Amino acid sequence: MGLGNIISRRLKVFAIALIIYVDYKAIQKRVRWAKGSKKNTIWEKTHERNARRVLNLMIELEGLWVKLGQYLSTRADVLPEAYISVLKQLQDSLPPHSLKEVCRTIEKELGKSMKDLFSGFVHTPLATASIAQVHRATMQDGREVVVKVQHDGVKEIILEDLKNAKSIVDWIAWAEPQYDFNPMIDEWCKEAPKELDFNHEAENTRTVARNLSQSNSSDPNSVHIMIPEVILSTEKVLILEYMDGIRLNDNESLEAHGVDKQKLVEEITRAYAHQIYIDGFFNGDPHPGNFLVSKVPPHYPILLDFGLTKSISSSMKQALAKMFLASAEGDLVALLAAFSQMGLKLRVDMPQQALEIAKIFFRNSTPAKEATENIKALQDQRERNMKALREKTKLNEKEAQRFNPVDAFPGDAIIFTRVLNLLRGLSSTLNVRIVYLEIMRPFAESTLQGTMMMHEPASSSQWIYDSPIHSDVEAKLRKLLHDIGTDKILGIQVCAYKDGKVIIDTAAGRLGKYDPRPIQPDSLFPVFSVTKGITAGLVHWLVDKKKLRFEETIANIWPNFGNSKKNLIQVNHVLNHTSGLHNAMGDVMKDDPLLMCDWEESLNRISNSTPDTEPGSLQLYHYLSFGWLCGGIIEHASGKKFQQVLEEAIIHPLNIEGEMYIGIPPGIESRLATLTVDMDDIEKVMQQRQNADMPANLTRSDLAQIVAGVPVVFNTLNIRRAIIPAANGHCSARALARYYASLGAAGQIPPPHSSNSKPSLGSHVHIPKLPSITVSKKKKGTNNGTSAQKANSKGYTLVSSNTNKHENDDIDNDIQQKATRIFENQKIHDAFMGTGDFSGLIYPDGKFGLGFRRYRNTDGNLTSFGHSGLGGSTGFCDVENNFAMAVTVNKMSLGGVTRSVVQLVCAELGIPLPDEFSSSGKKGPDMQLTLGSS
């Protein structure tokens, strides 16, 4: 292609683009003064006029522009009818290239004359497309074939057109920032040249045919399609088996042969679901011209043209499957995790809007006659999202229009969305409605479940995360986990410290039932009431800093708490579950469970609650109220926000940033384990419901249904992000074990965690930051931060104090000056367990000390303390033996996995087994729901 032709093509493209742009801008102003039908007529004529301009340009220039026109012609669901009807002419009906050119290319590529190759060659092409044209022929051996021949010089044209298209997209993004198609054109620039090598297409054709033929009729995910056999290929010539079929745009023939168009498009959709989710190798160009329909019943679809075929990694395949299921189920956590896994980065935390946009990709297809309503619905959705964006970012309307909420869009996902749009357009062209969520779901589920099966302990040592073994006992533990297997374990972490050193740090299994990624040392598990032990530690920290006293009445530090007969309740009553507020907010939780996501309202409800028993008179487990009671005490005593105190007291000193949260921040969703229930053990719950130690509203007959429903609630994003200090902690076992190792050493901070644990503990940013919001206007006072807001390189943030700054300086200074200890009180263990000088502050012979479940050994001595959570996660330490241990699980079980793990480790180390984990000892209320036979 000469320089003159290059310049000429470029000028023509930009001239037509400018004419169309100016035309539409002028009509936008003109129709403001028109009314009713006249306005519609003006728009129809405008669409018709500009569609003709586009068609004429594409026919003249051919190359890439024809492919673009073919794509647009399939979007009957979103484009005006004028464009669809006009651009349909580009579906394999371009003016043919000369027979002389075709024969010359064939002979040059194959090195033989036409007579030596074919006994018959039809001069009139079956179809002429952007890159090649196809002729029917008969080989010398009698085989009926089609010969696909690349246009002479098309490679140079395509490459030049890509540059021009890129320039136009850049210009549109500048003129109309809300229409930035750069990620799409960038991916197209990368993939389109691959279509110019027919050897590449031949191999793709063989691969797809092989993949789709491997399914059998008994497989529910089997597909019924036909793909022509590859006979011969070179770079510019491809010879395929001839298949007699009907074109999808030949409606008359489709009806004459009795083709069920609904079943036809459904089977095409199934074929693409199989290619994407099962094979990870799919045709990226499913426009109507690339399909035929067999004339013989049952009229299977015939798939053609595999030039633009995309291969995706196993990780991307899983992410796309997860995104699909998350959209179908409205699972915000899974959606954000899928985004992270596929490399899609957002500049603003708006998960609900992200879900709505994702749902648009998988929405039902609509017939062409509903295009107008569909366009309006999409526009309305866009306006709602734009309004939400302005409210979230505080940008004005002009700034919001120039703001792109996506920071990075992976190329693989771009081709995937292009395929979905083309399939949607295909459905609209044939006037059928396809329910993608039903058709594609089994394939997405099969992908994730199939990957899980591949990593069962029996078939893969990688079921246990590949990390160094720290000790002999860890080697034996890993064998135990392997023996227990996936029947009882979905995902698990175990970490233990002995004499300040890490002796166990093992991770095994998968992040979730539909998340086959491996559990790693830094994976975050929801640990339920294990959170209480962390929250209690914050109260002890404030007492140690002399900001609080155990005997202090809560009303003395918490305004309004003293009403409703609560004026005598002391801090110690809350810590040892004798405040009488064990059922506080119980009715509210039944009527409106999501209220517990509202921190301030929950504190307000707690302050207005009425105790059921006299303070100190009876120990009844504060299953949820414990967290808000302690949380209110912590905030009012410190004058700081709960999460700030958590960071100052525990996270920062122990160097466990990014691995312990009560209320997760945005940006860590990809590391979250997902809860599920061991349904085989549900019946055992019913056997526990009459236990007198259980809270009254946990003993009713529908307890099994409550336990089964817990994962549904606690897997949701709003619950995970809420501050519920009795129930929704998220942590890794290594962070939890380090916490208890410190408590067991009277607050002494252990040496750095094992260097063999990757990634290193404390290496994560604690509060991840989304990419900055960039607008043309200079940003003023980012987030209106105050001088009290500070940050270090780990993302550790101090939240503004609620009281005079000087009142809290001593706490902040202590952290910096005494980083070797959390507590100064050398007898802090007595406070945790309610022994020695603190024995008068607890309920006699009760299960709890001051905030911690206290454990007796086989001799009946109190040597250990900790806290377990519903379903099996636990953390504890043995003071006498300088031992600390944590177990986190995501398959809530009554089957004794945790107990088996603790029993093995204690036996191997010669450490007395805490009664919580023995077969006959007294159990705390959370562990009562996690017991079963070993």
Side-chain angles (χ1 to χ4, degrees):
M1 181 184 292
L3 179 61
N5 285 336
I6 291 175
I7 295 175
S8 176
R9 289 177 69 87
R10 188 168 296 179
L11 289 175
K12 289 175 182 177
V13 169
F14 279 91
I16 292 298
L18 182 59
I19 289 171
I20 294 174
Y21 178 75
V22 172
D23 192 4
Y24 274 109
K25 280 296 182 181
I27 293 301
Q28 283 179 354
K29 294 182 179 180
R30 179 182 169 189
V31 295
R32 294 177 184 175
W33 309 102
K35 294 183 179 180
S37 60
K38 187 175 181 180
K39 180 182 294 187
N40 293 334
T41 301
I42 293 173
W43 276 120
E44 288 173 4
K45 289 182 178 180
T46 304
H47 295 322
E48 173 76 20
R49 180 170 62 247
N50 287 304
R52 288 289 171 190
R53 286 169 174 159
V54 171
L55 176 65
N56 293 335
L57 177 70
M58 290 176 171
I59 290 176
E60 178 183 358
L61 298 183
E62 295 187 344
L64 181 75
W65 302 108
V66 173
K67 295 197 73 64
L68 176 59
Q70 290 170 339
Y71 171 72
L72 295 175
S73 71
T74 67
R75 300 310 309 277
D77 55 329
V78 294
L79 280 179
E81 173 59 29
Y83 280 90
I84 305 304
S85 60
V86 170
L87 296 180
K88 273 184 180 178
Q89 299 175 50
L90 295 172
Q91 293 179 9
D92 300 324
S93 59
L94 292 175
H97 285 223
S98 70
L99 182 63
K100 182 178 179 181
E101 175 190 318
V102 170
C103 292
R104 184 173 62 246
T105 301
I106 292 174
E107 292 178 340
K108 181 180 179 180
E109 287 290 303
L110 300 180
K112 294 182 180 180
S113 68
M114 295 291 289
K115 290 182 179 181
D116 290 337
L117 290 166
F118 308 105
S119 62
F121 191 89
V122 179
H123 293 180
T124 303
L126 290 173
T128 302
S130 57
I131 292 177
Q133 66 189 45
V134 179
H135 291 259
R136 186 173 177 180
T138 304
M139 301 290 288
Q140 287 292 353
D141 59 7
R143 285 181 292 179
E144 293 294 318
V145 297
V146 292
V147 184
K148 184 175 180 179
V149 185
Q150 190 173 121
H151 299 318
D152 191 27
V154 73
K155 182 174 183 178
E156 291 76 11
I157 292 174
I158 291 287
L159 296 177
E160 175 61 25
D161 289 345
L162 285 171
K163 295 178 183 177
N164 293 339
K166 173 65 174 170
S167 298
I168 289 177
V169 166
D170 287 339
W171 173 59
I172 292 174
W174 172 81
E176 303 287 339
Q178 66 271 35
Y179 300 112
D180 185 358
F181 303 111
N182 268 297
M184 182 177 293
I185 195 64
D186 290 342
E187 183 65 15
W188 207 353
C189 288
K190 184 174 72 174
E191 296 294 333
K194 296 178 182 179
E195 294 187 83
L196 301 170
D197 184 350
F198 288 172
N199 284 318
H200 181 75
E201 179 177 344
E203 186 56 36
N204 291 342
T205 304
R206 294 187 186 99
T207 301
V208 175
R210 185 168 56 250
N211 289 341
L212 296 183
S213 66
Q214 287 177 347
S215 58
N216 54 62
S217 57
S218 62
D219 182 358
N221 291 334
S222 63
V223 296
H224 305 287
I225 52 88
M226 301 171 69
I227 296 176
E229 179 188 356
V230 175
I231 307 299
L232 187 64
S233 71
T234 70
E235 182 181 355
K236 296 182 179 180
V237 174
L238 177 62
I239 302 177
L240 301 165
E241 169 193 7
Y242 171 74
M243 287 186 168
D244 191 17
I246 309 166
R247 297 205 170 275
L248 296 192
N249 57 7
D250 188 352
N251 191 59
E252 186 176 325
S253 295
L254 291 174
E255 292 185 359
H257 283 81
V259 175
D260 186 330
K261 291 187 285 187
Q262 179 74 31
K263 289 184 178 179
L264 171 67
V265 180
E266 286 181 356
E267 198 60 33
I268 290 174
T269 304
R270 285 168 49 79
Y272 271 84
H274 195 293
Q275 290 177 67
I276 293 168
Y277 296 123
I278 304 298
D279 308 324
F281 189 78
F282 58 94
N283 182 357
D285 198 22
H287 68 76
N290 286 343
F291 298 97
L292 295 174
V293 185
S294 173
K295 292 180 179 180
V296 180
H299 305 298
Y300 290 149
I302 302 172
L303 278 57
L304 308 172
D305 194 349
F306 294 89
L308 181 60
T309 306
K310 184 72 177 176
S311 177
I312 57 176
S313 66
S314 176
S315 177
M316 176 59 74
K317 185 173 67 174
Q318 294 170 18
L320 292 175
K322 191 187 303 180
M323 181 176 72
F324 177 90
L325 294 174
S327 301
E329 299 177 1
D331 188 340
L332 295 173
V333 174
L335 182 69
L336 295 177
F339 284 173
S340 177
Q341 189 174 352
M342 69 175 63
L344 193 158
K345 299 179 181 179
L346 302 175
R347 286 193 174 97
V348 62
D349 178 45
M350 297 177 64
Q352 190 60 49
Q353 283 66 38
L355 177 63
E356 290 173 1
I357 293 171
K359 284 182 175 180
I360 289 175
F361 291 136
F362 305 109
R363 71 190 186 279
N364 296 351
S365 68
T366 54
K369 62 184 179 181
E370 298 178 18
T372 302
E373 293 83 353
N374 197 30
I375 293 171
K376 185 178 185 304
L378 292 175
Q379 181 61 30
D380 291 343
Q381 179 67 59
R382 184 182 179 281
E383 290 177 358
R384 288 195 298 272
N385 289 340
M386 185 61 70
K387 181 181 178 182
L389 177 66
R390 291 199 302 269
E391 292 174 353
K392 178 75 174 181
T393 61
K394 309 303 180 185
L395 298 174
N396 60 39
E397 185 173 354
K398 184 177 180 180
E399 290 173 332
Q401 287 180 346
R402 301 196 69 86
F403 173 66
N404 187 349
V406 177
D407 184 60
F409 203 104
D412 291 346
I414 289 171
I415 297 295
F416 170 73
T417 56
R418 180 176 184 269
V419 166
L420 289 180
N421 286 332
L422 282 166
L423 289 174
R424 194 180 311 285
L426 180 66
S427 304
S428 297
T429 299
L430 293 177
N431 278 309
V432 297
R433 191 184 307 276
I434 300 298
V435 183
Y436 291 105
L437 293 181
E438 290 183 5
I439 295 176
M440 302 183 92
R441 185 183 189 115
F443 296 92
E445 289 180 337
S446 178
T447 291
L448 298 179
Q449 291 174 334
T451 308
M452 295 285 293
M453 295 293 291
M454 288 165 46
H455 292 282
E456 287 185 355
S459 60
S460 174
S461 61
Q462 289 304 304
W463 184 76
I464 293 180
Y465 188 76
D466 187 15
S467 60
I469 295 176
H470 295 80
S471 62
D472 292 342
V473 67
E474 183 168 23
K476 293 179 180 179
L477 169 68
R478 293 188 180 187
K479 183 180 184 304
L480 171 69
L481 296 180
H482 191 280
D483 292 343
I484 294 175
T486 55
D487 271 352
K488 294 299 180 184
I489 299 174
L490 176 59
I492 188 170
Q493 293 171 326
V494 182
C495 185
Y497 277 73
K498 182 71 173 74
D499 300 324
K501 296 181 179 179
V502 176
I503 59 168
I504 298 173
D505 195 356
T506 287
R510 306 290 134 190
L511 280 171
K513 181 179 180 182
Y514 292 116
D515 193 341
R517 291 177 297 150
I519 296 293
Q520 300 187 45
D522 63 337
S523 299
L524 299 173
F525 284 72
V527 293
F528 291 104
S529 288
V530 172
T531 318
K532 292 183 176 72
I534 300 168
T535 303
L538 301 183
V539 178
H540 282 272
W541 185 76
L542 288 171
V543 171
D544 191 67
K545 300 299 178 187
K546 298 184 171 43
K547 293 293 175 180
L548 188 64
R549 293 180 296 108
F550 292 125
E551 303 91 334
E552 192 163 7
T553 57
I554 299 174
N556 187 49
I557 58 172
W558 186 344
N560 302 324
F561 184 85
N563 57 21
S564 303
K565 302 180 181 180
K566 299 195 299 299
N567 57 305
L568 297 181
I569 298 177
Q570 298 175 0
V571 173
N572 63 289
H573 293 143
V574 170
L575 289 176
N576 74 93
H577 301 265
T578 61
S579 75
L581 294 170
H582 44 282
N583 282 323
M585 289 186 69
D587 291 339
V588 174
M589 291 303 100
K590 281 191 245 178
D591 299 336
D592 184 11
L594 293 183
L595 183 100
M596 61 182 171
C597 297
D598 189 331
W599 174 247
E600 295 299 334
E601 179 60 22
S602 296
L603 291 183
N604 183 56
R605 296 290 182 105
I606 284 290
S607 69
N608 290 322
S609 60
T610 302
D612 293 335
T613 59
E614 292 295 322
S617 64
L618 194 61
Q619 188 174 77
L620 292 170
Y621 188 49
H622 292 31
Y623 57 100
L624 273 177
S625 58
F626 181 90
W628 293 305
L629 286 164
C630 287
I633 293 169
I634 289 165
E635 289 201 342
H636 286 91
S638 68
K640 298 186 177 185
K641 294 295 183 182
F642 177 87
Q643 288 173 310
Q644 178 186 357
V645 179
L646 174 62
E647 292 168 1
E648 293 182 15
I650 298 174
I651 306 299
H652 191 48
L654 291 179
N655 193 33
I656 54 175
E657 283 88 350
E659 295 193 31
M660 182 177 285
Y661 297 97
I662 300 178
I664 65 166
I668 66 167
E669 292 82 9
S670 64
R671 291 193 287 126
L672 295 178
T674 305
L675 289 166
T676 188
V677 173
D678 187 339
M679 298 305 296
D680 293 338
D681 282 349
I682 285 296
E683 287 302 319
K684 295 179 183 178
V685 179
M686 303 303 294
Q687 299 172 10
Q688 302 292 334
R689 72 177 188 269
Q690 300 302 325
N691 192 307
D693 293 327
M694 298 286 288
N697 59 343
L698 287 184
T699 61
R700 58 182 187 268
S701 60
D702 59 351
L703 182 59
Q705 286 78 8
I706 294 175
V707 174
V710 164
V712 177
V713 175
F714 278 83
N715 281 333
T716 61
L717 186 64
N718 51 0
I719 293 293
R720 289 184 185 250
R721 287 188 175 182
I723 306 173
I724 311 173
N728 81 325
H730 287 77
C731 62
S732 64
R734 63 182 185 175
L736 185 62
R738 185 169 178 80
Y739 169 64
Y740 274 105
S742 175
L743 298 190
Q748 183 76 30
I749 296 174
H753 192 77
S754 169
S755 60
N756 289 330
S757 187
K758 305 295 182 184
S760 300
L761 181 60
S763 62
H764 284 288
V765 174
H766 190 59
I767 309 294
K769 292 182 179 180
L770 293 171
S772 61
I773 297 177
T774 55
V775 293
S776 56
K777 183 179 176 181
K778 183 179 179 181
K779 290 180 284 187
K780 297 180 180 179
T782 304
N783 294 331
N784 295 319
T786 67
S787 60
Q789 291 176 313
K790 310 169 188 176
N792 66 16
S793 60
K794 297 180 181 294
Y796 169 70
T797 303
L798 299 182
V799 184
S800 300
S801 169
N802 290 334
T803 62
N804 187 286
K805 181 179 185 298
H806 297 293
E807 294 180 4
N808 297 285
D809 280 347
D810 55 337
I811 297 179
D812 297 340
N813 291 336
D814 281 347
I815 295 174
Q816 303 300 326
Q817 296 172 3
K818 301 177 181 178
T820 60
R821 304 190 62 83
I822 295 180
F823 301 103
E824 295 304 308
N825 181 6
Q826 299 295 319
K827 295 185 177 181
I828 193 71
H829 304 129
D830 290 343
F832 295 149
M833 292 188 285
T835 57
D837 294 341
F838 302 92
S839 58
L841 298 177
I842 68 166
Y843 190 76
D845 296 322
K847 290 187 174 69
F848 290 93
L850 291 176
F852 293 89
R853 169 80 172 94
R854 52 190 197 162
Y855 310 137
R856 297 183 183 275
N857 60 22
T858 52
D859 296 328
N861 298 321
L862 287 171
T863 60
S864 306
F865 63 91
H867 216 297
S868 298
L870 178 69
S873 293
T874 192
F876 70 94
C877 61
D878 183 317
V879 178
E880 287 189 1
N881 291 282
N882 197 8
F883 171 72
M885 184 173 181
V887 180
T888 55
V889 296
N890 59 344
K891 188 172 188 178
M892 300 171 60
S893 172
L894 312 177
V897 170
T898 301
R899 184 173 65 173
S900 298
V901 167
V902 176
Q903 286 177 347
L904 179 142
V905 173
C906 287
E908 290 295 323
L909 294 175
I911 293 174
L913 183 69
D915 58 356
E916 179 94 337
F917 308 101
S918 69
S919 300
S920 58
K922 291 184 178 181
K923 311 298 185 295
D926 284 288
M927 279 300 290
Q928 288 179 30
L929 294 177
T930 63
L931 294 180
S933 59
S934 299

